[in-house]
Structure formats: C-alpha cells, structure tokens
Amino acid sequence: MATNGTKASDGHVLTETVNDAPTTTPNDKPKTLVVKVQKTKKDIPERETWAGKFDFLLSCVGYAIGLGNVWRFPYLCGKNGGGAFLIPYFLTLIFAGMPLFFLETALGQYTSIGGLGVWKLAPMFKGVGLAAAVLSFWLNIYYIVIISWAIYYLYNSFTADLPWQTCGNPWNTDRCYTNYSIPDTRNLTSAVVEFWERNMHQLTDGLEKPGEVRIPLAITLAIAWVLVYFCIWKGVGWTGKVVYFSATYPYFMLFILFCRGITLPGAFDGIVFYITPDFEKLKQSEVWLDAATQIFFSYGLGLGSLIALGSYNPFNNNVYRDSIIVCCINSFTSMFAGFVIFSIVGFMSNVTKRPIADVAASGPGLAFLAYPEAVTQLPISPLWAILFFSMLLMLGIDSQFCTVEGFITALVDEFPQVLRKRREIFIAIVCLISYIIGLSNITQGGLYVFKLFDYYSASGMSLLFLVFFECISISWFYGVNKFYDNIEEMVGYRPCLWWKACWVVFTPLIVAGVFLFSAVQMVPLTMGDYVFPAWGQGVGWCMALSSMMLIPGYMGYMFLTLKGTYKERLRMMIKPLVLVKAQENGPDQQTENQNQNPANEEAYI
C-alpha cells in the first residue's frame, strides 16, 4: 500500500509511504517515510544570464562611463594642477576605486542575486542594500533629466542655423551678443546662455518659484524614459545586445570630435594647459578630495547596479579580470575625453581672448554652455552639435538604464513570486512613477530642484556613508578570508593579497576620510549668486537621510525583533543566513547549517 501527497507546488512537502510487501493488512505499518522537499521556484520563471561573452563587460563599461567622464574629469584635471592631478586620482583608484568595483561585481556573481539578497552573507547589513535601492531611485529621477536636456538640444540641432547662434529669436533680450571677441561683456548675455535660461528652462528667480512645467522638456523626458524602458524590458538577454551600440557609439564620436578639435587654432594651448603638471597644487587638501570623489561617483559604486550586473554572470566567469579591464577603460576614457574637451576650450580661449582657466567649465555648464558656444564658431555648426549631443545621449542612457536595472533586479529578486512573472509591468510602473516625480525638475524653476537632488540625494556624504558600510560588512563581518575562498571557487585561483589589504584597511580609511572632509567642508547650497533657502536645504537633508538612516535603522530593527540573549542576537545578526555557492543554473545552493536538508534532497525518517 502507498499513499502519495499530491500538493507539490510552492514548496509544499510531498510525503510518500513505502512498503516492501505487495499486499497489506490493516496492521501493516510503513517501514520508511520519505519526505521530499521540492523547490519553491517551479512556477517562477528562471533567472536570466548574459547571452554573449562580452555582454557583462560592455554593460559595465556603459554603466561606469557616463557624463562625469566627459564633463567633470577634464575640468577637475585642469583646475587641480593638470597632470599632477593624476597622482591623487590614480592613488585613489588603486586603493579604493578598483577594490570596491571588484568587490561589488564579485559579490553579485557569487550570490547570483540582486542588491538586497546578497546581504544574507551579513544579515545585519541588509540596510546597505535598502539604502542603495533608495539612492538609485533618487538618482534615476534626476540623472535622466540631463538626458532630456541633451535630447532637447539634439532636436534643435537639426536646422540650417543653430537657434543659440543668433540673437533675433523671441526669447532673446536687448543685452544678447554673439561676438565672442568683445573684451567687456559684464552687462551683456551671450546667445548661448539666453537659449539655456530663457528658452529651454524659462528660469525663475529661485526654488520658491517653481512656475509651470515646461512642455517641451516634459516630452523629451518622456522620450528618455521610453528609451530606458525598451532597453531593459526584455531582461539582460536584450540589454546585452543594446550595450553593443550604446557603449561603443560614444567612442566613435569622441574620436571624431578629437580629430576635429586638434585642428582648431588654440587647441594645442588648451591641451598643454590640460597636461602640464603643477605639483604645488598637491599641497591643497581640496585636490585630493576632488580626486577621491571623482573616483567614487564616476565608477557608480554603492548603488547596487554593479552587484546586479555581476549577478547575471555564469558562476565561473573571470570577474577578477573583467573588473580590472573595465576600470582601466574607464580611466583611459576620462583622460582621452580631456584631450577632446581642452582642444575645444583652447580654441574658445583663442576666439574670446580670455584665459583658458576662465573658459573651462564643469558639469552642465560645459555640456550645454561652453561646447555649444564653441560649435557656433565652426563651419557646418549643426553637424558638430548633432555629433556632440548624440554622444551625450548615449553616454547618459546606458548609465541610466543600468542603474534602473540594478534597482529592478534588487526588488525582483527579493520578491520573485510576485514580480518575476510581471517584470515588464513592474518596470513600466517604476518608469512612470519616476517620470511623474521627475517633472519637478523640468518646471520653470526645475533647475533649482535638479541642483537640490544632485547635491543631497544620491551623491556626497550619503553615498560615501553607504560605501563605507558596504566595504566593512564583507571584509570585517562576513570575513575577507571567506570572501577570498568564494572568489577562488569562481575564478579558480586566489587574487593577490593587495585586494585583501585594501578591503580590510586602505579602502575603509580612504572612504571614512573623504566622508569626514566632505562633512567639514560642506557649505550651504548655492547656484550662481542664489543661496538656497533653509527649508530647501532641509528638504535636501531629508533626501540624504532617507538612505543613510536605513543602515543603522535596520540594525536596530533586527536586534529588537530577534529572540534570545544579547550575545545570541548579535551572533545571529552577523552569521550568514545562507552560503550560496552558485546561481540557479549552476551547482546546487547549500546552506551553512549542514543539518538542514537542501531542496530536492530526501530525508528518511
């Protein structure tokens, strides 16, 4: 006689009694009870992996190489001693940037799960994953606004005469000028600035005057979100194909712009200014702080995106080699972009007769003011504008959709039963909500809101705070030797001891030092001569603390909800819940407690 339990879905236990005899009597008892524990994931679609050999590499390149490489690094290099700036830059890269990049990608590949699930390795630090999700959510809202600006400029470049090239437009004032060789322009405004402030933004006087939503920008922002959606909606198999274009296109454009730039009068002077070292600058603490912050922000550390991208790798992929390659490509791109930008800056210095240091600008000022101004001085101006703004679009879009992918992966892997089947709908909802909140950045006073997001929400101290706890959670609490064993399982050998020294000592020290320096040197937020009101800075601090407080908050929550003595609770908070040896399509997962029965194994009672 045999009795079979038939309810096997969603991890219910199947029981099966087995008897040796072919016939039974009422007094017969089963000799063996077999309990079959079945996986709970039968009805959940399998987790994807990268389809091509270079998908992961190009995705990381596209993610890490973004607008900061083009509009921030060259400016910092010129401002902070030219070639001498490369000394603190590469020291920070070697001691902190590369170790953190490798840690995140290896962590994702080993656990094969998103930025929330990986913290089963160090349960009390799950707040780091929650903080990363909040940070990436804020970043997704305002970073894409820059892409919408680039689309707006790109659209306006498809004309015979660029609209910021002349002063006869409805938005221009009597103070508008286009002759950039005028020595004294203190009471005048360039056509480029008027297009930026009076046409695209219709800028108000401050944060307290938001004005109306700019309909053209609302349309370009919607276009940007639609592009992001269709880049990731089908999963990493589709995304891996998209990055073959989005990650390589900017390099073609940079090369074309470089070839054009070095032929311009004054270009050589600009490049000399860019590479000439001024070692006296290295005595200033600000130079070292700029180098460190550039590394942390340009590599996209701490947002959970690198963990997500690594989690789609095959278990035995050489993530060690790939991480080093991506970091080298990132830094090379930053330096090459400097040659492109400073050839143009040198040309504009030659035209305007101003010092190169005064012409060089950072951030949106470089992309949407300095370069458009230079383009107006070139033959076939619309062509060069189209090439530049299409490059900006591609630089921004792959960084954006990889960050969104990191956010989506973290939540889908945390709630697979609910979200994995409905991934496309979930992505659409996230994009729609982000778009609606992002409309605050494209009102007539939206530039002030954008500045508030940029200064407080997903950069500065909140990101440094997160990265510090991310590093020590693995190196100090999970155990750096245990993590080395995990890496050896994946790549077949142990990396050199340098990485261990960085994870345990150097990287936490550098991150903590930069955090403290940033806190000491923090000043009230300004934009030009405008000082943000106290209530506006309060809103900014609320955004910053919305991620930072999750780390200690989750520790407190876990401690209070666990049962046992204080020592027992602390032990449970540190002890890994599950030691995952591989991903779903790799070897079976094993729990740390060998007394527990892994899925699909039979327990005989």
Side-chain angles (χ1 to χ4, degrees), residues 149-321:
W149 297 342
I151 295 173
Y152 185 83
Y153 270 78
L154 182 62
Y155 171 77
N156 281 279
S157 299
F158 285 95
T159 57
D161 297 308
L162 295 173
W164 58 85
Q165 201 165 6
T166 60
C167 284
N169 303 291
W171 59 83
N172 291 128
T173 64
D174 296 336
R175 296 184 299 166
C176 175
Y177 74 93
T178 57
N179 182 3
Y180 295 103
S181 60
I182 297 173
D184 186 6
T185 59
R186 282 176 294 181
N187 296 319
L188 301 174
T189 313
S190 73
V192 173
V193 171
E194 290 200 350
F195 180 82
W196 166 257
E197 291 184 354
R198 298 179 61 83
N199 174 277
M200 188 172 80
H201 291 295
Q202 295 183 2
L203 199 61
T204 60
D205 297 332
L207 185 66
E208 59 278 1
K209 297 180 181 178
E212 300 174 355
V213 171
R214 294 284 295 120
I215 299 301
L217 290 180
I219 293 170
T220 58
L221 185 63
I223 292 170
W225 272 115
V226 169
L227 287 174
V228 168
Y229 177 77
F230 284 111
C231 284
I232 63 173
W233 71 315
K234 289 295 185 184
V236 293
W238 170 250
T239 304
K241 297 179 177 66
V242 173
V243 293
Y244 276 85
F245 175 74
S246 64
T248 55
Y249 179 81
Y251 287 95
F252 290 108
M253 293 302 101
L254 274 176
F255 181 72
I256 292 170
L257 294 170
F258 173 73
C259 292
R260 182 67 183 101
I262 58 175
T263 63
L264 298 171
F268 181 73
D269 295 332
I271 291 173
V272 168
F273 178 85
Y274 169 57
I275 62 175
T276 302
D278 180 3
F279 293 106
E280 288 296 314
K281 291 272 190 179
L282 297 181
K283 296 177 182 178
Q284 301 174 11
S285 61
E286 184 184 0
V287 174
W288 294 83
L289 189 62
D290 280 346
T293 51
Q294 173 63 16
I295 289 291
F296 293 131
F297 304 147
S298 72
Y299 276 78
L301 302 170
L303 298 171
S305 300
L306 291 172
I307 293 174
L309 296 177
S311 72
Y312 294 112
N313 274 334
F315 184 72
N316 296 116
N317 175 65
N318 194 334
V319 68
Y320 181 40
R321 174 201 61 204

Side-chain angles (χ1 to χ4, degrees), residues 124-131 465-466 469 544-560 573:
M124 68 183 286
F125 290 96
K126 188 172 182 178
V128 173
L130 295 169
F465 187 77
L466 186 155
F469 282 101
L545 293 173
S546 67
S547 59
M548 295 171 70
M549 293 305 296
L550 289 172
I551 298 174
Y554 187 83
M555 292 178 187
Y557 165 77
M558 192 174 183
F559 183 80
L560 293 173
M573 289 170 68

Side-chain angles (χ1 to χ4, degrees), residues 1-2 19 21-28:
M1 172 184 150
N19 216 358
T23 58
T24 62
T25 66
N27 293 326
D28 283 336

Side-chain angles (χ1 to χ4, degrees), residues 39-58:
K39 285 187 178 179
T40 64
K41 299 182 180 178
K42 265 195 169 183
D43 296 327
I44 303 172
E46 286 189 7
R47 201 172 189 276
E48 290 186 281
T49 56
W50 297 113
K53 186 177 180 181
F54 298 105
D55 291 8
F56 169 69
L57 201 63
L58 284 173

Side-chain angles (χ1 to χ4, degrees), residues 340-418:
V340 178
I341 296 303
F342 272 89
S343 66
I344 302 297
V345 167
F347 166 65
M348 282 308 297
S349 174
N350 180 269
V351 170
T352 61
K353 309 304 180 188
R354 287 185 290 159
I356 292 174
D358 293 345
V359 178
S362 175
L366 174 65
F368 299 104
L369 296 176
Y371 197 90
E373 190 175 279
V375 162
T376 62
Q377 306 300 306
L378 301 176
I380 328 175
S381 298
L383 171 64
W384 301 110
I386 289 167
L387 293 179
F388 179 74
F389 289 113
S390 64
M391 180 190 73
L392 279 190
L393 172 61
M394 287 298 115
L395 279 172
I397 203 75
D398 48 10
S399 296
Q400 175 74 18
F401 71 65
C402 286
T403 309
V404 176
E405 177 64 52
F407 178 76
I408 296 294
T409 298
L411 293 175
V412 168
D413 285 348
E414 187 73 2
F415 309 104
Q417 291 91 344
V418 179

